[in-house]
Amino acid sequence: MPEMPEVEIIRRNLVDRLKGKMITNVEVLLSRLVKWPTVENFESMIIGRTIADFKRRGKYLLLELDNSDMLVIHLRMTGRLCYVSEGDERDAYTRIVFHLNNGDVLTYADTRTLGTLYAIKKDELWRISGLANMGPEPLSAEFTIAYLQEALKSNRGKIKSFLLNQKYIGGLGNIYVDECLILSKIHPERVGNSLAVDEINQLHAAINQVIDAGINDGGTTFRDYRNGNGEKGSHQENLFVYGRNGLPCRFCGSIIEKIEVGGRGTHFCPQCQK
DNA sequence: CAATAGCCCTGGTGGC
DNA sequence: TGCCACCAGGGCTATT
C-alpha cells in the first residue's frame, strides 16, 4: 500500500533514469486504468514526448513532459512502477508499458487494478480533484503546527479519519496514520477538536518523524510494494502498531488491539493511547 | 457542509 | 485437499 514514503522512494529511484528519455510507444493492456482522457488521446499525448522531470505530490506521481503536459499516476493499493531493460522479465501483473528511446521499458503493474493514470495539460490539473484539493504534506514548509491546529479546531470527526483525509494532509495512509497516533499517544477515536495544544504539537512531530523514518527505511512492504527496481522496503520491521495486533506494545508491553475506525483496520495500544 | 457507507478489484488466508 | 467467505484500503460517489 504505497503511501507518501513509498511513492517518494519510487520517484527517487527512477528520476535520473527517466529524465531526458523519450516515450516512443505505450501499450495500454488494461484500458480502464486510464481515467483521462480517452485511451487513444492518452497514447497520442504521451508518445513522442520527452520526460522533462519526475515529481510527486502526496501519493501522486507526476511525470512532466517537454511540452508541459503531464502523465499522472496514482498507485492506489497495489500499483507498481518498474524500470527494466528491453529483454528483462516483466511483472506478471503488467497493465501498461512505456517504451523508452534507449530500448528500456517502464512498466506499470497492478494486481488489483485500482490504480489510476491520466495524461493531462498543466492548466487542466483541476480535473484530478484529489490532486487539486490536497492539503499540505508532511515535512513541507506549509505543514506547520499552526496549520494543524487551525485545521483541527472545527473538526468533529475522529482523528484517524482526519489524518487519512488528503484534503487536510496529503500523503498519509492507513499504516503511517496508525504509527503517528501511537507515537503521539493519541487514541484513534479521539475527536479532532478535542486535542489539547501539547497533543497537537506531539502529533505534528510524530507525523514528520514517521514519514521521515519510512523514507529512510526505503518504505514499508507488506506484500505488494516495490521501490521502482523491484525491491522491497524495510520499514515493516520498525512499525510500532500496524499489523502487530496481539503482540506486545514496544513501549509498555500491553497487547496491541485492532478495531475498525472510519471503515479502516486500526491498530493501537490501549495503555499508551488515550 | 460534513461524516459515513458503499464500491471498485484480485489474491492470500483461514475456517471447515 | 478443496472450497468459499472474507479481508486488505485509497479515494471517489451517493447518502444521511
Side-chain angles (χ1 to χ4, degrees):
Chain A
M1 311 133 218
E3 305 179 28
M4 177 183 152
E6 290 73 36
V7 178
E8 174 62 13
I9 292 295
I10 292 169
R11 189 198 68 81
R12 289 184 189 181
N13 278 328
L14 297 181
V15 58
D16 288 341
R17 279 175 284 173
L18 290 180
K19 256 175 144 172
K21 300 273 171 30
M22 181 191 285
I23 299 170
T24 54
N25 197 19
V26 180
E27 296 172 67
V28 178
L29 306 174
L30 185 60
S31 58
R32 64 178 151 77
L33 301 187
V34 175
K35 300 299 175 184
W36 183 268
T38 63
V39 171
E40 191 180 36
N41 289 339
F42 176 85
E43 292 172 347
S44 66
M45 281 177 71
I46 290 167
I47 293 171
R49 300 257 68 100
T50 296
I51 298 165
D53 209 347
F54 189 20
K55 296 179 177 171
R56 179 193 58 75
R57 175 81 174 95
K59 303 171 196 170
Y60 288 86
L61 287 164
L62 312 172
L63 286 105
E64 287 186 4
L65 306 177
D66 56 356
N67 63 346
S68 88
D69 286 355
M70 221 182 277
L71 168 59
V72 179
I73 302 175
H74 196 301
L75 305 170
R76 295 284 189 112
M77 301 299 300
T78 54
R80 298 180 290 273
L81 278 181
C82 195
Y83 188 102
V84 294
S85 296
E86 183 86 78
D88 287 356
E89 191 180 348
R90 289 179 199 170
D91 192 301
Y93 296 92
T94 297
R95 311 295 188 186
I96 298 181
V97 184
F98 300 93
H99 293 269
L100 306 173
N101 62 341
N102 66 341
D104 290 345
V105 168
L106 180 69
T107 60
Y108 175 82
D110 196 339
T111 312
R112 286 168 62 187
T113 70
L114 292 168
T116 52
L117 292 91
Y118 314 75
I120 203 147
K121 301 198 176 300
K122 209 165 193 173
D123 59 2
E124 288 196 294
L125 280 173
W126 55 267
R127 291 186 183 280
I128 308 174
S129 62
L131 183 57
N133 301 323
M134 190 183 301
E137 50 186 78
L139 304 176
S140 74
E142 295 75 27
F143 180 60
T144 60
I145 291 173
Y147 168 79
L148 188 58
Q149 212 162 1
E150 184 63 26
L152 280 169
K153 199 164 68 179
S154 58
N155 189 273
R156 289 177 294 178
K158 293 169 181 169
I159 188 65
K160 163 109 184 189
S161 301
F162 172 89
L163 294 172
L164 281 174
N165 192 331
Q166 306 295 296
K167 79 176 178 182
Y168 297 126
I169 303 171
L172 293 176
N174 205 40
I175 296 173
Y176 292 99
V177 163
D178 283 2
E179 292 298 301
C180 67
L181 286 173
I182 174 74
L183 288 188
S184 50
K185 311 297 184 196
I186 297 168
H187 192 287
E189 291 181 299
R190 283 281 298 284
V191 171
N193 65 8
S194 78
L195 267 60
V197 172
D198 65 325
E199 288 178 316
I200 295 175
N201 290 344
Q202 285 165 22
L203 179 59
H204 179 268
I207 290 168
N208 282 336
Q209 182 187 331
V210 159
I211 292 298
D212 189 52
I215 293 173
N216 285 330
D217 286 341
T220 303
T221 300
F222 266 91
R223 182 178 302 163
D224 299 287
Y225 167 68
R226 297 295 184 274
N227 68 0
N229 297 320
E231 300 154 352
K232 299 178 181 183
S234 68
H235 192 61
Q236 64 277 6
E237 295 158 18
N238 297 322
L239 295 172
F240 290 98
V241 287
Y242 186 89
R244 300 196 69 247
N245 38 309
L247 297 173
C249 172
R250 290 187 165 149
F251 294 108
C252 76
S254 299
I255 300 303
I256 300 298
E257 291 181 14
K258 183 178 181 186
I259 58 174
E260 187 175 308
V261 180
R264 295 287 177 257
T266 300
H267 314 72
F268 74 105
C269 172
Q271 189 63 37
C272 292
Q273 292 172 261
K274 299 296 179 188

